[in-house]
Amino acid sequence: MATFKAFLTSRIEKKDDILLGEFDVIVSEIQEDITGINSITNQKKTTTDKYYNLNGQQVMHPEKGVFITNGRKIVKK
């Protein structure tokens, strides 16, 4: 079975506040050996103790309500 690789090219222009785009897909057969990614490990865990309300304002001491921290919504009762 043949192995292929594909590339996506795009051209985008703005005309009268409208984005117009053209896309091309280029597919070619691969003649060399295939390599891949075996595993992915996240070396750095990014956590913060910053809380934000639903308006995006940082809250120093969240009490009651819905807040966002570390990309997750939490509810404090």
Side-chain angles (χ1 to χ4, degrees):
M1 180 175 193
T3 305
F4 296 92
K5 60 182 172 181
F7 300 95
L8 177 67
T9 60
S10 65
R11 291 174 298 285
I12 298 175
E13 65 181 61
K14 187 174 182 180
K15 184 176 182 181
D16 298 328
D17 293 331
I18 297 174
L19 292 177
L20 303 173
E22 293 181 16
F23 298 94
D24 296 323
V25 177
I26 302 167
V27 179
S28 63
E29 188 174 350
I30 298 175
Q31 300 296 330
E32 67 247 16
D33 293 334
I34 304 300
T35 61
I37 299 172
N38 294 331
S39 65
I40 299 174
T41 57
N42 187 0
Q43 299 292 331
K44 185 177 178 182
K45 300 266 183 186
T46 55
T47 59
T48 61
D49 291 333
K50 295 181 180 179
Y51 291 89
Y52 299 90
N53 62 17
L54 295 179
N55 290 327
Q57 301 164 325
Q58 186 174 354
V59 178
M60 298 307 285
H61 304 287
E63 293 179 5
K64 291 183 179 181
V66 179
F67 300 95
I68 300 172
T69 184
N70 294 326
R72 299 180 69 184
K73 290 180 190 171
I74 61 168
V75 177
K76 294 232 179 191
K77 296 181 179 185

Coordinates of all heavy atoms in Angstrom, one line a residue:
M1 N 0.8 -1.2 0.0 CA 0.0 0.0 0.0 C 0.9 1.2 0.0 O 1.8 1.4 0.8 CB -0.9 0.0 1.2 CG -1.8 1.1 1.3 SD -2.9 0.9 2.7 CE -4.1 2.2 2.4
A2 N 0.6 2.1 -0.9 CA 1.4 3.4 -1.0 C 1.1 4.3 0.2 O 0.0 4.3 0.7 CB 1.1 4.0 -2.3
T3 N 2.1 5.1 0.6 CA 1.9 6.1 1.6 C 2.0 7.5 1.0 O 2.8 7.7 0.1 CB 3.1 5.9 2.7 OG1 3.1 4.6 3.1 CG2 2.9 6.9 3.8
F4 N 1.1 8.3 1.4 CA 1.0 9.7 0.9 C 1.2 10.7 1.9 O 1.0 10.5 3.1 CB -0.3 9.9 0.2 CG -0.6 8.9 -1.0 CD1 -1.2 7.7 -0.8 CD2 -0.2 9.3 -2.2 CE1 -1.4 6.9 -1.8 CE2 -0.4 8.4 -3.3 CZ -1.0 7.2 -3.1
K5 N 1.6 11.9 1.5 CA 1.6 13.1 2.4 C 0.8 14.2 1.7 O 0.8 14.2 0.4 CB 3.0 13.5 2.8 CG 3.9 13.9 1.6 CD 5.3 14.3 2.1 CE 6.3 14.5 1.0 NZ 7.6 14.9 1.5
A6 N 0.2 15.0 2.5 CA -0.6 16.1 1.9 C -0.3 17.4 2.5 O 0.1 17.5 3.7 CB -2.1 15.8 2.2
F7 N -0.4 18.4 1.7 CA -0.1 19.8 2.2 C -1.4 20.7 1.8 O -2.0 20.5 0.8 CB 1.1 20.4 1.5 CG 2.4 19.7 1.7 CD1 2.8 18.7 0.8 CD2 3.1 19.9 2.9 CE1 4.0 18.0 1.1 CE2 4.3 19.2 3.1 CZ 4.7 18.2 2.2
L8 N -1.7 21.6 2.7 CA -2.8 22.5 2.5 C -2.2 23.9 2.3 O -1.5 24.4 3.2 CB -3.8 22.4 3.7 CG -5.0 23.4 3.6 CD1 -5.9 23.0 2.4 CD2 -5.7 23.4 4.9
T9 N -2.5 24.5 1.2 CA -2.1 25.9 1.0 C -3.3 26.8 0.9 O -4.4 26.3 0.5 CB -1.2 26.0 -0.3 OG1 -2.0 25.6 -1.4 CG2 0.0 25.2 -0.2
S10 N -3.2 28.0 1.4 CA -4.3 28.9 1.3 C -3.9 30.3 0.9 O -2.8 30.7 1.1 CB -5.0 28.9 2.7 OG -4.1 29.5 3.7
R11 N -4.8 31.0 0.4 CA -4.7 32.4 0.0 C -6.0 33.1 0.5 O -7.0 32.7 0.1 CB -4.5 32.6 -1.5 CG -3.1 32.0 -2.0 CD -3.0 32.1 -3.5 NE -4.0 31.3 -4.2 CZ -4.0 30.0 -4.3 NH1 -3.0 29.3 -3.7 NH2 -4.9 29.3 -5.0
I12 N -5.8 34.1 1.3 CA -7.0 34.8 1.9 C -6.8 36.3 1.6 O -5.7 36.8 1.8 CB -7.1 34.5 3.4 CG1 -7.3 33.0 3.6 CG2 -8.3 35.3 4.0 CD1 -7.4 32.6 5.1
E13 N -7.8 36.9 1.2 CA -7.8 38.3 1.0 C -9.1 38.9 1.6 O -10.1 38.3 1.7 CB -7.7 38.7 -0.5 CG -8.8 38.3 -1.3 CD -8.6 38.6 -2.8 OE1 -7.6 38.1 -3.4 OE2 -9.4 39.4 -3.3
K14 N -9.0 40.2 1.9 CA -10.2 40.9 2.5 C -10.7 41.9 1.4 O -9.9 42.7 0.9 CB -9.8 41.6 3.8 CG -10.9 42.2 4.5 CD -10.5 42.8 5.9 CE -11.6 43.3 6.6 NZ -11.2 43.8 7.9
K15 N -12.0 41.8 1.2 CA -12.6 42.7 0.2 C -13.9 43.1 0.7 O -14.8 42.3 1.0 CB -12.8 41.9 -1.2 CG -13.3 42.8 -2.3 CD -13.3 42.1 -3.6 CE -13.8 43.0 -4.7 NZ -13.9 42.3 -6.0
D16 N -14.1 44.4 0.9 CA -15.3 45.0 1.4 C -15.8 44.3 2.7 O -16.9 43.9 2.9 CB -16.5 44.9 0.4 CG -16.2 45.6 -0.9 OD1 -15.5 46.7 -0.8 OD2 -16.7 45.1 -1.9
D17 N -14.8 44.2 3.7 CA -15.0 43.6 5.0 C -15.5 42.1 4.9 O -16.1 41.6 5.8 CB -16.0 44.4 5.8 CG -15.4 45.8 6.2 OD1 -14.2 45.9 6.3 OD2 -16.2 46.7 6.4
I18 N -15.2 41.5 3.8 CA -15.5 40.0 3.7 C -14.2 39.3 3.4 O -13.4 39.7 2.5 CB -16.5 39.8 2.5 CG1 -17.8 40.5 2.8 CG2 -16.7 38.3 2.3 CD1 -18.8 40.5 1.7
L19 N -13.9 38.2 4.1 CA -12.8 37.4 3.8 C -13.0 36.4 2.7 O -14.0 35.7 2.7 CB -12.3 36.6 5.1 CG -11.8 37.5 6.2 CD1 -11.5 36.6 7.4 CD2 -10.6 38.3 5.8
L20 N -12.2 36.5 1.7 CA -12.3 35.5 0.5 C -11.1 34.6 0.6 O -10.0 35.1 0.7 CB -12.4 36.3 -0.8 CG -13.5 37.3 -0.9 CD1 -13.4 38.1 -2.2 CD2 -14.9 36.6 -0.9
G21 N -11.3 33.3 0.4 CA -10.1 32.5 0.4 C -10.2 31.4 -0.6 O -11.2 31.0 -1.1
E22 N -9.0 30.9 -1.0 CA -8.8 29.8 -1.9 C -7.9 28.8 -1.2 O -7.0 29.2 -0.5 CB -8.2 30.2 -3.2 CG -9.0 31.1 -4.1 CD -8.3 31.5 -5.4 OE1 -7.3 30.8 -5.7 OE2 -8.7 32.4 -6.0
F23 N -8.2 27.5 -1.3 CA -7.5 26.5 -0.7 C -7.1 25.4 -1.7 O -7.9 25.1 -2.5 CB -8.2 25.8 0.5 CG -8.6 26.8 1.6 CD1 -9.8 27.4 1.6 CD2 -7.7 27.1 2.6 CE1 -10.2 28.3 2.6 CE2 -8.0 28.0 3.6 CZ -9.3 28.6 3.6
D24 N -5.9 25.0 -1.6 CA -5.4 23.9 -2.5 C -4.9 22.8 -1.6 O -4.2 23.0 -0.6 CB -4.2 24.4 -3.4 CG -4.7 25.5 -4.4 OD1 -5.8 25.4 -4.9 OD2 -3.9 26.4 -4.6
V25 N -5.1 21.5 -2.0 CA -4.6 20.4 -1.4 C -3.6 19.7 -2.3 O -4.0 19.4 -3.5 CB -5.7 19.4 -0.9 CG1 -5.1 18.1 -0.3 CG2 -6.6 20.0 0.0
I26 N -2.4 19.5 -1.9 CA -1.4 18.9 -2.7 C -1.0 17.5 -2.1 O -0.6 17.5 -0.9 CB -0.1 19.8 -2.8 CG1 -0.4 21.1 -3.4 CG2 1.0 19.1 -3.6 CD1 0.6 22.2 -3.2
V27 N -1.2 16.5 -2.8 CA -1.0 15.1 -2.3 C 0.2 14.5 -3.2 O 0.2 14.6 -4.4 CB -2.2 14.2 -2.4 CG1 -2.0 12.8 -1.9 CG2 -3.4 14.9 -1.7
S28 N 1.1 13.9 -2.5 CA 2.2 13.2 -3.2 C 2.6 11.9 -2.5 O 2.4 11.8 -1.3 CB 3.5 14.2 -3.3 OG 4.0 14.4 -2.0
E29 N 3.1 11.0 -3.3 CA 3.5 9.7 -2.8 C 4.8 9.8 -2.1 O 5.7 10.4 -2.6 CB 3.5 8.6 -3.9 CG 3.6 7.3 -3.4 CD 3.5 6.2 -4.5 OE1 3.1 6.6 -5.6 OE2 3.8 5.1 -4.2
I30 N 5.0 9.1 -1.0 CA 6.3 9.2 -0.2 C 7.1 7.9 -0.6 O 6.5 6.8 -0.6 CB 6.0 9.1 1.3 CG1 5.2 10.4 1.7 CG2 7.3 9.0 2.0 CD1 4.9 10.4 3.2
Q31 N 8.3 8.1 -1.0 CA 9.2 7.0 -1.4 C 10.1 6.6 -0.3 O 10.7 5.5 -0.4 CB 10.0 7.4 -2.6 CG 9.1 7.8 -3.8 CD 8.3 6.6 -4.4 OE1 8.7 5.5 -4.2 NE2 7.1 6.9 -4.9
E32 N 10.3 7.4 0.8 CA 11.2 7.1 1.8 C 10.5 6.4 3.0 O 9.3 6.3 3.0 CB 12.0 8.4 2.3 CG 11.1 9.3 3.0 CD 10.9 10.6 2.2 OE1 11.2 10.7 1.0 OE2 10.4 11.6 2.9
D33 N 11.3 6.0 4.0 CA 10.8 5.4 5.2 C 10.0 6.4 6.0 O 10.2 7.6 6.0 CB 11.9 4.9 6.1 CG 12.7 3.7 5.5 OD1 12.1 3.0 4.6 OD2 13.9 3.6 5.8
I34 N 8.9 5.9 6.7 CA 8.0 6.7 7.4 C 8.4 6.6 8.9 O 8.8 5.6 9.5 CB 6.6 6.1 7.3 CG1 6.2 6.0 5.9 CG2 5.6 7.0 8.1 CD1 6.2 7.4 5.2
T35 N 8.5 7.8 9.5 CA 8.7 7.9 10.9 C 7.5 8.5 11.6 O 6.6 9.0 10.9 CB 9.9 8.8 11.2 OG1 9.7 10.1 10.7 CG2 11.2 8.3 10.6
G36 N 7.4 8.4 12.9 CA 6.2 8.9 13.6 C 6.6 9.3 15.0 O 7.7 9.1 15.5
I37 N 5.6 9.8 15.7 CA 5.7 10.1 17.1 C 5.1 9.0 17.9 O 4.0 8.6 17.8 CB 4.9 11.4 17.4 CG1 5.5 12.6 16.6 CG2 4.9 11.7 18.9 CD1 4.6 13.8 16.6
N38 N 6.0 8.4 18.8 CA 5.5 7.3 19.7 C 4.7 7.8 20.9 O 3.7 7.1 21.2 CB 6.7 6.5 20.1 CG 7.4 5.8 18.9 OD1 6.8 5.5 17.9 ND2 8.7 5.6 19.0
S39 N 5.2 8.8 21.5 CA 4.4 9.3 22.7 C 4.7 10.7 22.9 O 5.7 11.3 22.5 CB 4.8 8.5 24.0 OG 6.2 8.7 24.3
I40 N 3.8 11.4 23.6 CA 4.0 12.8 24.0 C 3.8 12.9 25.5 O 2.9 12.4 26.1 CB 2.9 13.6 23.3 CG1 3.0 13.5 21.8 CG2 3.0 15.1 23.7 CD1 1.9 14.2 21.0
T41 N 4.8 13.6 26.1 CA 4.7 13.8 27.5 C 4.8 15.3 27.8 O 5.5 16.1 27.1 CB 5.9 13.2 28.3 OG1 7.1 13.6 27.7 CG2 5.8 11.7 28.1
N42 N 4.0 15.8 28.7 CA 4.0 17.2 29.1 C 4.9 17.4 30.2 O 4.7 16.8 31.3 CB 2.5 17.6 29.5 CG 2.4 19.1 29.7 OD1 3.4 19.8 29.6 ND2 1.3 19.5 30.1
Q43 N 6.0 18.1 30.0 CA 7.0 18.2 31.0 C 6.7 19.3 32.1 O 7.1 19.2 33.2 CB 8.4 18.6 30.4 CG 8.9 17.6 29.4 CD 9.3 16.4 30.1 OE1 9.8 16.4 31.2 NE2 9.2 15.3 29.3
K44 N 5.9 20.3 31.7 CA 5.6 21.4 32.6 C 4.1 21.5 32.8 O 3.3 21.6 31.9 CB 6.1 22.7 32.0 CG 6.0 23.9 32.9 CD 6.6 25.1 32.2 CE 6.4 26.3 33.1 NZ 7.0 27.5 32.4
K45 N 3.7 21.3 34.0 CA 2.3 21.5 34.4 C 2.1 23.0 34.8 O 2.8 23.5 35.6 CB 1.9 20.6 35.6 CG 2.2 19.2 35.4 CD 0.9 18.5 34.9 CE 1.1 17.1 34.8 NZ 0.1 16.4 34.2
T46 N 1.2 23.6 34.1 CA 0.9 25.0 34.3 C -0.4 25.1 35.1 O -1.4 24.8 34.7 CB 0.8 25.8 33.0 OG1 -0.2 25.2 32.2 CG2 2.1 25.8 32.3
T47 N -0.2 25.5 36.4 CA -1.4 25.7 37.2 C -1.2 27.1 37.9 O -0.1 27.5 38.3 CB -1.6 24.6 38.3 OG1 -0.4 24.6 39.1 CG2 -1.8 23.3 37.7
T48 N -2.3 27.8 38.0 CA -2.3 29.0 38.7 C -3.4 29.1 39.7 O -4.4 28.3 39.6 CB -2.4 30.2 37.8 OG1 -3.7 30.1 37.1 CG2 -1.3 30.3 36.7
D49 N -3.3 29.9 40.7 CA -4.3 30.1 41.7 C -5.1 31.3 41.4 O -5.7 31.9 42.3 CB -3.8 30.1 43.1 CG -3.2 28.7 43.5 OD1 -3.7 27.7 43.0 OD2 -2.3 28.7 44.3
K50 N -5.1 31.8 40.1 CA -5.8 33.0 39.7 C -7.3 32.6 39.4 O -7.5 31.6 38.7 CB -5.2 33.7 38.6 CG -3.8 34.2 38.9 CD -3.2 34.9 37.8 CE -1.8 35.4 38.1 NZ -1.1 36.1 37.0
Y51 N -8.2 33.4 39.8 CA -9.6 33.1 39.5 C -10.1 34.3 38.8 O -9.8 35.5 39.0 CB -10.4 33.0 40.8 CG -10.1 31.7 41.6 CD1 -9.1 31.7 42.5 CD2 -10.8 30.6 41.4 CE1 -8.8 30.6 43.3 CE2 -10.5 29.4 42.1 CZ -9.5 29.4 43.0 OH -9.2 28.3 43.7
Y52 N -11.0 34.0 37.8 CA -11.6 35.1 37.0 C -13.2 34.9 37.0 O -13.6 33.7 37.0 CB -11.1 35.0 35.5 CG -9.7 35.2 35.4 CD1 -8.8 34.1 35.5 CD2 -9.1 36.5 35.3 CE1 -7.4 34.3 35.4 CE2 -7.8 36.6 35.2 CZ -6.9 35.6 35.2 OH -5.6 35.8 35.2
N53 N -13.9 36.0 37.0 CA -15.4 35.9 36.9 C -15.8 35.7 35.5 O -14.9 35.7 34.6 CB -16.0 37.1 37.6 CG -15.7 38.4 36.9 OD1 -15.3 38.5 35.8 ND2 -16.0 39.5 37.7
L54 N -17.0 35.6 35.2 CA -17.5 35.3 33.8 C -17.3 36.6 32.9 O -17.5 36.5 31.7 CB -18.9 34.9 33.8 CG -19.1 33.5 34.5 CD1 -20.6 33.1 34.4 CD2 -18.3 32.4 33.8
N55 N -17.0 37.7 33.5 CA -16.7 38.9 32.7 C -15.2 39.0 32.4 O -14.8 39.9 31.7 CB -17.1 40.2 33.4 CG -18.6 40.3 33.5 OD1 -19.3 39.9 32.6 ND2 -19.1 40.9 34.6
G56 N -14.4 38.0 32.8 CA -13.0 38.0 32.5 C -12.2 38.9 33.5 O -11.0 39.1 33.3
Q57 N -12.8 39.3 34.6 CA -12.1 40.1 35.6 C -11.4 39.2 36.6 O -12.1 38.3 37.1 CB -13.0 41.1 36.3 CG -13.7 42.1 35.3 CD -14.9 42.8 35.9 OE1 -15.6 42.2 36.7 NE2 -15.1 44.0 35.5
Q58 N -10.2 39.5 37.0 CA -9.5 38.7 38.0 C -10.1 39.0 39.4 O -10.4 40.1 39.7 CB -8.0 39.0 38.0 CG -7.3 38.0 38.9 CD -5.8 38.2 38.8 OE1 -5.3 38.9 38.0 NE2 -5.1 37.5 39.7
V59 N -10.4 37.9 40.1 CA -11.0 38.0 41.4 C -9.9 37.5 42.4 O -9.4 36.4 42.3 CB -12.3 37.1 41.5 CG1 -12.9 37.2 42.9 CG2 -13.3 37.6 40.5
M60 N -9.6 38.3 43.4 CA -8.6 37.9 44.4 C -9.0 36.9 45.4 O -8.3 35.9 45.7 CB -8.1 39.2 45.1 CG -7.4 40.2 44.2 SD -6.1 39.5 43.1 CE -4.8 39.4 44.3
H61 N -10.2 37.0 45.9 CA -10.8 36.1 46.9 C -12.2 35.7 46.5 O -13.2 36.3 47.0 CB -10.8 36.8 48.3 CG -9.4 37.3 48.7 ND1 -8.4 36.5 49.1 CD2 -8.9 38.6 48.8 CE1 -7.4 37.2 49.4 NE2 -7.6 38.5 49.2
P62 N -12.3 34.7 45.7 CA -13.7 34.3 45.3 C -14.5 33.7 46.4 O -14.0 32.9 47.2 CB -13.4 33.2 44.2 CG -12.0 32.7 44.5 CD -11.3 33.8 45.2
E63 N -15.7 34.2 46.5 CA -16.6 33.7 47.6 C -17.7 32.8 47.0 O -17.6 31.6 46.9 CB -17.1 34.8 48.4 CG -16.0 35.6 49.2 CD -16.5 36.7 50.0 OE1 -17.7 37.0 50.0 OE2 -15.7 37.4 50.5
K64 N -18.8 33.4 46.6 CA -19.9 32.7 46.0 C -20.0 33.1 44.5 O -19.8 34.2 44.1 CB -21.2 33.1 46.7 CG -21.3 32.6 48.1 CD -22.7 32.9 48.6 CE -22.8 32.4 50.0 NZ -24.2 32.7 50.6
G65 N -20.3 32.1 43.7 CA -20.5 32.3 42.3 C -19.8 31.4 41.4 O -19.2 30.4 41.8
V66 N -19.8 31.7 40.1 CA -19.1 30.9 39.1 C -17.8 31.6 38.7 O -17.8 32.8 38.4 CB -20.0 30.7 37.8 CG1 -19.3 29.9 36.8 CG2 -21.3 30.1 38.2
F67 N -16.7 30.8 38.7 CA -15.4 31.4 38.4 C -14.6 30.4 37.4 O -15.0 29.3 37.3 CB -14.6 31.5 39.7 CG -15.2 32.4 40.7 CD1 -16.0 31.9 41.7 CD2 -15.1 33.8 40.6 CE1 -16.6 32.7 42.6 CE2 -15.7 34.6 41.5 CZ -16.4 34.1 42.5
I68 N -13.6 31.0 36.8 CA -12.8 30.2 35.9 C -11.4 30.2 36.5 O -10.8 31.3 36.8 CB -12.8 30.8 34.5 CG1 -14.2 30.9 33.9 CG2 -11.8 30.1 33.5 CD1 -14.4 31.6 32.6
T69 N -10.8 29.0 36.6 CA -9.4 28.9 37.0 C -8.8 27.7 36.3 O -9.5 26.6 36.2 CB -9.3 28.7 38.5 OG1 -8.0 28.7 38.9 CG2 -10.0 27.5 39.1
N70 N -7.6 27.8 35.8 CA -6.9 26.8 35.1 C -7.7 26.3 33.9 O -7.7 25.1 33.6 CB -6.5 25.7 36.0 CG -5.5 26.1 37.1 OD1 -4.7 26.9 36.8 ND2 -5.6 25.6 38.3
G71 N -8.5 27.1 33.3 CA -9.2 26.7 32.1 C -10.5 26.0 32.4 O -11.1 25.4 31.5
R72 N -10.9 25.9 33.6 CA -12.1 25.2 34.0 C -13.1 26.1 34.8 O -12.6 26.9 35.5 CB -11.7 24.0 34.9 CG -10.8 23.0 34.2 CD -10.5 21.9 35.1 NE -11.7 21.1 35.3 CZ -11.7 20.0 36.1 NH1 -10.7 19.6 36.7 NH2 -12.8 19.3 36.2
K73 N -14.4 25.9 34.6 CA -15.4 26.6 35.3 C -15.6 25.9 36.7 O -15.7 24.7 36.7 CB -16.7 26.7 34.6 CG -16.6 27.5 33.3 CD -18.0 27.5 32.7 CE -17.9 28.2 31.3 NZ -19.1 28.0 30.5
I74 N -15.7 26.7 37.7 CA -16.0 26.1 39.0 C -17.1 26.9 39.7 O -17.3 28.1 39.4 CB -14.7 26.1 40.0 CG1 -14.2 27.5 40.2 CG2 -13.7 25.2 39.4 CD1 -13.2 27.5 41.3
V75 N -17.8 26.3 40.6 CA -18.9 27.0 41.3 C -18.6 26.9 42.8 O -18.3 25.9 43.3 CB -20.3 26.2 41.0 CG1 -21.4 26.9 41.8 CG2 -20.6 26.2 39.6
K76 N -18.5 28.1 43.4 CA -18.3 28.2 44.8 C -19.7 28.5 45.4 O -20.3 29.5 45.1 CB -17.3 29.3 45.1 CG -15.9 29.0 44.6 CD -15.0 29.1 45.8 CE -13.6 28.7 45.3 NZ -12.7 28.6 46.3
K77 N -20.1 27.7 46.4 CA -21.4 27.9 47.1 C -21.2 28.5 48.4 O -20.3 28.4 49.1 CB -22.2 26.6 47.2 CG -22.5 26.1 45.8 CD -23.3 24.8 46.0 CE -23.7 24.3 44.6 NZ -24.5 23.1 44.7

